[in-house]
Amino acid sequence: MIIIKTRMLGLIRGRMMSVMAGRVLTALPRSKARLLTSHPSQHLHSASSSCQKCELTSKRYNVQRGKFSAVSEHDLKFFQELLGSHRTVLGEEELEGHNTDWLRTVRGASSVLLKPKTTEEVSAILSYCDQHQLAVCPQGGNTGLVGGSVPVFDEVIVSTALMNQVESVDTWSGVVTCQAGCVLEALDQHVAQYGLMIPLDLGAKGSCHIGGNVSTNAGGLRLLRYGSLHGSVLGVEAVLASGEVVDCMSAMKKDNTGYDLKHLFIGSEGTLGLVTKVAINCPPRPAAVSLAFLGLQSFDNVLKTFKAAKDQLGEILSSCEFIDQSSMECVEGNLKIKSPLDEYPYYMLLETSGSNGDHDEEKLNNFLESTLGSGLVSDGTVATEPSKMANIWALRERIAEALILDGYTYKYDISLPLPHFYKLVEDMREHLGSNVVRCCGYGHVGDGNLHLNFTSRQYEKEILERIEPAVYEWTSQVNGSISAEHGLGFKKRNYIHYSKSLGAINLMKQMKKLMDPNGILNPYKVLPD
Ligand code: FAD
Ligand code: MLT
Ligand code: ZN
């Protein structure tokens, strides 16, 4: 058997779809699933200060609406004829979850959400919108963290929620081909049947779509081992603003036939085309996984431990994550999850994956013995049981959720040279002082990716102005990137120049003009005003 043609797992999908529209949560009994079961937005929605809607983005950020048409009765008739009324969703309440982001920090005012099932339907929608000058916001699982996934004004939302078919799994090459709306976790479970895994894992896996992952070039917890989606994605099918379908669906590992256009859609956040299908190279699922959880006294020790892990664990190291004390206090305090270690200023998660459990465990134990012995690591525990590993992972993966419970989160996702990694947190903590409830740092230290977060009880413009552009200036001075993995979306687009040259920005604008001459695809996102 080489290629297994199959369809998306209806069971998982069915269970997911039973939850509130636009807030698709998984019912799978895993830590990541549980994370999203107690979805913060839902929590706020039902329990908090009586679910106050966040301010409209256009008002909070004083945005000028582009010269787009407003959706008319005539337009609705076209959409309803194409998709039926069931897949043409109207009404403020029905659209609320799709107009507001996961963080509940930005809100649009779209009046229509479309749910195509096929590439042809997407093509018909975009072609119509382009001809009628209607702006469009592509939406996957709406877990994006930079305000890219929701409209700013009244853009038509085109959701991939019903584009969830797996087309094939090639078990010789390990390539899965599927539609863009497959939920990451469901897709991973699907390929698990063939001993494969999706080379991407993130806390939002129970809700985010693979098309959303590709469109944001999501990084996640195992980029250290499997690299970025620019390497793992072999093929992309996308629909341009004009409705033209661009088929770059190669499933070959090697294909040097001219410009590799698929890369334009990876990470362009729905501004150049709507991704409808992808082909992904899936590595073998590891037979053995172990997780070490460490407590450390200094950030210098964190860096030295990472270096020692690379040297001593080598090819079995699959994740290297970092949590500071303030983040740990947040996740323990706000979500009541208990850490197995006492209090330390810094914590690390080191995961190993391989084909021989005994060999990996021995290596990990030797590593722990040597780092504990030398004093680099102050305390540590190793878990191999799935439930124990899940509990430790929850401490890391649920920080974003825990932070939201403070009130409002100001979220930064920075790439930094490692020697500067934690200095940014310290400097910003001093800069913000008691103006914020919390200033904390965590993230993918193995990839040089810091998640720097501040919280306050509610949104305060003065706090935002104290953070921005200071945080971007700091980052730029050490040649870091102001967006490591979340993208620019709406919130960061005007700061792009801190990480990209004028020449590069101009070329991006020219590409946008070429591929979307009327600018209907995700306006107000990625490119600066
Ligand atoms: P959406 O949020 O729906 O959309 C994101 C962007 O992509 C938008 O600009 C949207 O317009 C565009 N888009 C979506 N689908 C398509 C499509 N088919 N074609 C064209 N454009 C499209 N991100 C990381 O990188 N690493 C992490 O570790 C990580 N962890 C997270 C943990 C939590 C708890 C949460 C809530 C988010 C996390 N994220 C992380 C951010 C987010 O999950 C990712 O950006 C994810 O890839 C978004 O996928 P989505 O389907 O939800 O896309
Ligand atoms: C993570 O790694 O946890 C995510 O990118 C989300 C966040 O930055 O909070
Ligand atoms: Zn992250």
Side-chain angles (χ1 to χ4, degrees):
M1 170 179 61
I2 303 179
I3 297 180
I4 296 116
K5 294 257 180 199
T6 177
R7 293 170 74 80
M8 194 61 222
L9 294 174
L11 180 65
I12 293 172
R13 198 63 211 159
R15 280 195 279 169
M16 287 173 170
M17 293 309 291
S18 65
V19 190
M20 188 179 163
R23 296 288 179 222
V24 181
L25 311 175
T26 178
L28 300 170
R30 295 185 51 187
S31 70
K32 284 133 198 171
R34 277 204 300 276
L35 184 155
L36 291 161
T37 311
S38 53
H39 195 289
S41 328
Q42 254 203 345
H43 178 85
L44 293 175
H45 182 70
S46 56
S48 80
S49 39
S50 219
C51 75
Q52 285 205 333
K53 284 182 184 168
C54 78
E55 198 177 3
L56 285 171
T57 309
S58 52
K59 201 166 158 224
R60 179 171 285 175
Y61 290 88
N62 191 20
V63 194
Q64 280 295 312
R65 188 176 178 283
K67 291 196 175 85
F68 301 106
S69 306
V71 176
S72 66
E73 284 302 321
H74 180 264
D75 302 327
L76 289 182
K77 196 161 171 277
F78 172 83
F79 296 138
Q80 278 161 345
E81 270 167 19
L82 179 72
L83 304 174
S85 49
H86 194 57
R87 294 194 281 130
T88 307
V89 183
L90 309 172
E92 204 183 320
E93 219 172 286
E94 286 80 353
L95 262 70
E96 197 193 317
H98 296 275
N99 269 318
T100 311
D101 71 328
W102 187 87
L103 290 166
R104 289 188 91 76
T105 54
V106 283
R107 185 161 68 93
S110 176
S111 59
V112 56
L113 167 91
L114 303 176
K115 291 183 166 180
K117 284 185 173 173
T118 63
T119 303
E120 292 70 31
E121 286 178 350
V122 173
S123 168
I125 292 167
L126 293 191
S127 155
Y128 180 91
C129 289
D130 201 37
Q131 282 166 33
H132 294 80
Q133 198 55 23
L134 289 170
V136 170
C137 175
Q139 190 173 84
N142 193 13
T143 65
L145 299 172
V146 287
S149 53
V150 293
V152 174
F153 289 93
D154 54 350
E155 296 88 285
V156 173
I157 304 172
V158 180
S159 163
T160 51
L162 301 182
M163 302 184 70
N164 58 354
Q165 308 290 308
V166 176
E167 291 198 341
S168 65
V169 181
D170 180 333
T171 55
W172 289 115
S173 62
V175 177
V176 63
T177 303
C178 66
Q179 281 188 301
C182 291
V183 171
L184 175 61
E185 185 173 53
L187 189 61
D188 185 57
Q189 296 214 330
H190 184 79
V191 299
Q193 297 173 83
Y194 310 106
L196 302 170
M197 64 177 282
I198 301 294
L200 171 74
D201 188 11
L202 53 150
K205 76 190 295 187
S207 295
C208 61
H209 297 183
I210 193 70
N213 301 145
V214 170
S215 302
T216 54
N217 186 28
L221 304 164
R222 300 208 172 65
L223 185 135
L224 176 79
R225 169 76 159 263
Y226 300 106
S228 100
L229 289 177
H230 279 289
S232 311
V233 173
L234 302 176
V236 169
E237 177 192 82
V239 182
L240 300 183
S242 64
E244 189 179 337
V245 180
V246 180
D247 180 351
C248 300
M249 273 302 283
S250 169
M252 296 294 107
K253 307 261 162 90
K254 301 178 82 172
D255 175 13
N256 275 353
T257 49
Y259 309 143
D260 202 344
L261 296 176
K262 67 170 183 272
H263 292 294
L264 291 178
F265 302 104
I266 303 174
S268 55
E269 302 178 63
T271 58
L272 298 181
L274 198 151
V275 174
T276 43
K277 278 184 201 169
V278 292
I280 299 176
N281 186 29
C282 302
R285 212 170 183 85
V289 180
S290 306
L291 184 61
F293 184 54
L294 316 175
L296 305 98
Q297 290 294 356
S298 69
F299 189 72
D300 196 41
N301 283 0
V302 171
L303 293 187
K304 287 178 178 151
T305 303
F306 171 48
K307 177 81 171 54
K310 281 196 291 186
D311 293 345
Q312 294 178 38
L313 300 173
E315 77 294 345
I316 62 167
L317 182 64
S318 53
S319 190
C320 177
E321 294 287 314
F322 159 76
I323 304 174
D324 74 358
Q325 190 174 4
S326 172
S327 309
M328 185 59 86
E329 279 166 12
C330 182
V331 79
E332 284 197 302
N334 287 359
L335 296 177
K336 311 289 171 228
I337 315 177
K338 186 95 196 70
S339 159
L341 299 184
D342 289 341
E343 252 183 41
Y344 285 93
Y346 307 96
Y347 302 87
M348 289 177 86
L349 282 81
L350 290 175
E351 188 196 67
T352 63
S353 327
S355 55
N356 183 327
D358 292 343
H359 163 265
D360 297 359
E361 241 181 280
E362 194 188 328
K363 259 183 137 173
L364 190 55
N365 285 333
N366 288 343
F367 164 78
L368 258 189
E369 222 169 88
S370 81
T371 49
L372 279 164
S374 67
L376 265 188
V377 172
S378 301
D379 197 2
T381 175
V382 172
T384 48
E385 241 177 77
S387 67
K388 290 208 175 117
M389 289 194 287
N391 285 343
I392 295 172
W393 269 120
L395 291 165
R396 165 64 187 86
E397 289 185 84
R398 296 185 67 181
I399 299 170
E401 182 189 342
L403 285 164
I404 295 181
L405 298 176
D406 277 356
Y408 186 93
T409 310
Y410 310 80
K411 188 170 277 297
Y412 299 89
D413 161 44
I414 308 284
S415 267
L416 290 169
L418 285 175
H420 300 286
F421 194 88
Y422 201 70
K423 185 80 174 76
L424 176 57
V425 184
E426 290 167 340
D427 284 2
M428 290 304 289
R429 193 172 278 151
E430 203 182 317
H431 180 61
L432 269 299
S434 59
N435 290 300
V436 290
V437 171
R438 214 183 296 271
C439 165
C440 66
Y442 57 95
H444 317 287
V445 67
D447 308 317
N449 179 183
L450 171 70
H451 291 318
L452 167 64
N453 287 249
F454 309 87
T455 60
S456 59
R457 294 284 170 238
Q458 66 259 315
Y459 169 76
E460 283 180 46
K461 191 164 178 250
E462 295 69 34
I463 295 181
L464 185 67
E465 285 172 354
R466 244 182 124 69
I467 302 172
E468 298 178 9
V471 68
Y472 300 129
E473 276 164 6
W474 200 106
T475 303
S476 163
Q477 271 163 23
V478 297
N479 298 319
S481 167
I482 65 148
S483 175
E485 59 173 8
H486 296 163
L488 295 168
F490 168 78
K491 287 187 184 169
K492 306 197 171 160
R493 73 199 195 288
N494 285 330
Y495 300 103
I496 186 174
H497 60 279
Y498 284 103
S499 292
K500 283 280 183 299
S501 67
L502 201 58
I505 298 169
N506 284 339
L507 186 57
M508 285 187 202
K509 286 183 176 170
Q510 287 169 38
M511 280 158 59
K512 171 74 175 171
K513 194 83 195 145
L514 178 74
M515 294 172 75
D516 178 15
N518 297 320
I520 63 155
L521 276 177
N522 232 1
Y524 328 105
K525 316 282 172 65
V526 181
L527 292 167
D529 283 338

